[in-house]
């Protein structure tokens, strides 16, 4: 690596990362596979409605859905469960004034990560309660752990250990969502 590039790295968010867990190229290859499955599974669906959970699912959704050539529609939901820390608060808040109309629709619900399972459980239940015909769930990451809510995603790109990760949409204190890979933060960066 040349000196100039080293200097740029040292002055950027990359220096806050202790290790890269899933590299950009690995994510891209895996998205091809997941997109192919989604395409095949919903090919006969005339009105596939995608609902993505903000803000964590933004990057994953954008990269995944551009690989799925269906005439789907996209809505986003603002949901909070973390409130700035590195542990789930256990409460899922719907922050939007108006929720998308999913009555009679087949919904593909996209989130960044399946952790305690409370978010996917609460949002799936809400969408069904609002009249969705069917809800399938899709996440970039699934944490290997015992969940508070008994849910598993229908589509999951990667399984990871139970540790706090950032990047590719996932944040710490609002930052690091634009890292092109999934990584683990340097402990010194985390506020005590
Ligand atoms: P759950 O409701 O399954 O516990 O958590 C879902 C939400 O918690 C995710 O959408 C994500 O916003 C947040 N979350 C869970 N684990 C992590 C993690 O390791 N890193 C980050 N940045 N967010 C996480
Ligand atoms: Mg989230």
């Amino acid at each position: 690596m040349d000196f100039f590039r080293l200097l740029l790295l040292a002055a950027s968010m990359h220096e806050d990362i202790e290790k890269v867990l899933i590299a950009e190229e690995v994510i891209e290859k895996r998205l091809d596979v997941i997109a192919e499955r989604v395409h095949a599974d919903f090919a006969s669906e005339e009105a596939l409605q995608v609902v993505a959970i903000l803000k964590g699912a933004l990057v994953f959704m954008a990269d995944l859905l551009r690989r799925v050539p269906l005439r789907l529609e996209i809505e986003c939901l603002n949901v909070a469960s973390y409130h700035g820390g590195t542990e789930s608060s256990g409460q899922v808040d719907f922050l939007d004034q108006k929720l998308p109309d999913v009555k009679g629709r087949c919904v593909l619900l996209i989130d960044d990560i399946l952790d305690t399972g409370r978010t996917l459980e609460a949002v799936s239940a809400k969408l069904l309660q609002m009249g969705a015909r069917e809800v399938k769930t899709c996440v970039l990451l699934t944490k290997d752990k015992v969940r508070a809510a008994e849910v598993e995603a229908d589509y999951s790109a990667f399984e990871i250990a139970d540790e706090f990760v950032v990047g590719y949409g996932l944040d710490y204190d609002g930052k690091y969502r634009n890292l092109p890979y999934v990584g683990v933060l340097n402990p010194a960066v985390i506020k005590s």
Side-chain angles (χ1 to χ4, degrees):
M1 202 180 295
D2 63 53
F3 179 72
F4 185 64
R5 189 163 152 70
L6 208 72
L7 207 70
L8 278 179
L9 273 180
S12 78
M13 64 179 166
H14 295 286
E15 71 173 329
D16 296 349
I17 301 301
E18 188 179 67
K19 67 174 178 206
V20 175
L21 214 59
I22 312 171
E24 190 174 5
E25 313 80 66
V26 177
I27 296 175
E28 283 173 356
K29 286 215 180 83
R30 183 73 180 136
L31 290 196
D32 288 339
V33 176
I34 301 288
E36 186 54 51
R37 274 186 210 159
V38 169
H39 184 203
D41 291 355
F42 295 98
S44 63
E45 187 59 50
E46 266 175 36
L48 179 63
Q49 174 72 62
V50 172
V51 173
I53 301 179
L54 294 176
K55 307 175 188 118
L58 267 178
V59 178
F60 174 46
M61 170 188 75
D63 284 351
L64 178 72
L65 296 183
R66 277 178 296 170
R67 290 168 158 85
V68 179
L70 295 174
R71 291 186 189 83
L72 47 80
E73 289 170 51
I74 302 174
E75 290 281 356
C76 295
L77 263 188
N78 243 306
V79 169
S81 64
Y82 250 64
H83 313 295
T86 63
E87 294 290 333
S88 175
S89 70
Q91 193 194 321
V92 179
D93 301 320
F94 290 83
L95 306 176
D96 297 295
Q97 296 272 352
K98 192 174 171 290
L99 296 175
D101 180 13
V102 294
K103 213 166 280 152
R105 305 293 295 268
C106 174
V107 177
L108 180 67
L109 176 60
I110 302 185
D111 202 2
D112 49 2
I113 186 166
L114 174 59
D115 182 21
T116 67
R118 288 194 184 100
T119 304
L120 279 191
E121 186 187 57
V123 178
S124 297
K126 187 79 157 185
L127 293 169
L128 288 169
Q129 183 200 324
M130 288 161 56
R133 178 158 50 80
E134 186 186 16
V135 178
K136 294 278 187 198
T137 53
C138 176
V139 293
L140 174 71
L141 306 170
T142 296
K143 274 192 190 172
D144 183 14
K145 70 191 285 184
V146 177
R147 280 177 238 301
E150 262 185 55
V151 283
E152 288 306 320
D154 295 297
Y155 306 91
S156 172
F158 300 97
E159 186 161 303
I160 61 166
D162 187 11
E163 62 183 333
F164 186 79
V165 295
V166 294
Y168 209 76
L170 293 113
D171 73 308
Y172 170 65
D173 208 15
K175 292 178 271 293
Y176 307 106
R177 293 193 198 275
N178 57 319
L179 277 175
Y181 51 81
V182 174
V184 176
L185 271 180
N186 201 319
V189 176
I190 294 175
K191 291 179 202 147
S192 46

